[in-house]
Amino acid sequence: MSITRINEFQAADGKAADLFTFLKSLKTYISSSPGCESCEVLQSNDNDSLFVVIEVWDSADSHKASLDNYPQEDMAAAMPLIGAPPKGGFYHS
């Protein structure tokens, strides 16, 4: 059974376009990670600085492995683009 991870990101002031570009760049990495079934990066219609990343995985462990393997220096470089702590959770049908 697949599991869905929904992550919400709020851009720092004036950084919405940069954060959107960064999040979209993650899509290739996420989609090619073992166990990933799909990935979407979406920008809110009502708030240009709000984004969600919706990922479908074969397991929560596969999602965790993808995080562990992502270059931490790349993630650290993106932190100034984020205006509030990201929110996220796993969901199932």
Side-chain angles (χ1 to χ4, degrees):
M1 178 169 92
S2 296
I3 190 161
T4 300
R5 173 80 186 184
I6 301 175
N7 305 290
E8 184 178 298
F9 296 89
Q10 176 73 44
D13 289 342
K15 298 296 183 182
D18 294 333
L19 181 57
F20 196 25
T21 297
F22 171 73
L23 293 173
K24 289 188 293 185
S25 78
L26 292 178
K27 186 173 178 177
T28 300
Y29 171 80
I30 294 168
S31 295
S32 65
S33 295
C36 182
E37 298 174 10
S38 68
C39 177
E40 288 187 76
V41 178
L42 306 171
Q43 186 174 29
S44 171
N45 284 341
D46 300 323
N47 180 346
D48 286 350
S49 66
L50 185 61
F51 305 91
V52 292
V53 179
I54 303 171
E55 309 164 35
V56 179
W57 293 89
D58 63 359
S59 70
D61 289 339
S62 291
H63 174 263
K64 183 179 180 331
S66 76
L67 294 177
D68 292 344
N69 293 326
Y70 188 76
Q72 294 306 303
E73 61 275 6
D74 292 349
M75 188 59 72
M79 294 311 291
L81 306 177
I82 301 171
K87 300 175 189 175
F90 289 102
Y91 299 81
H92 65 276
S93 56

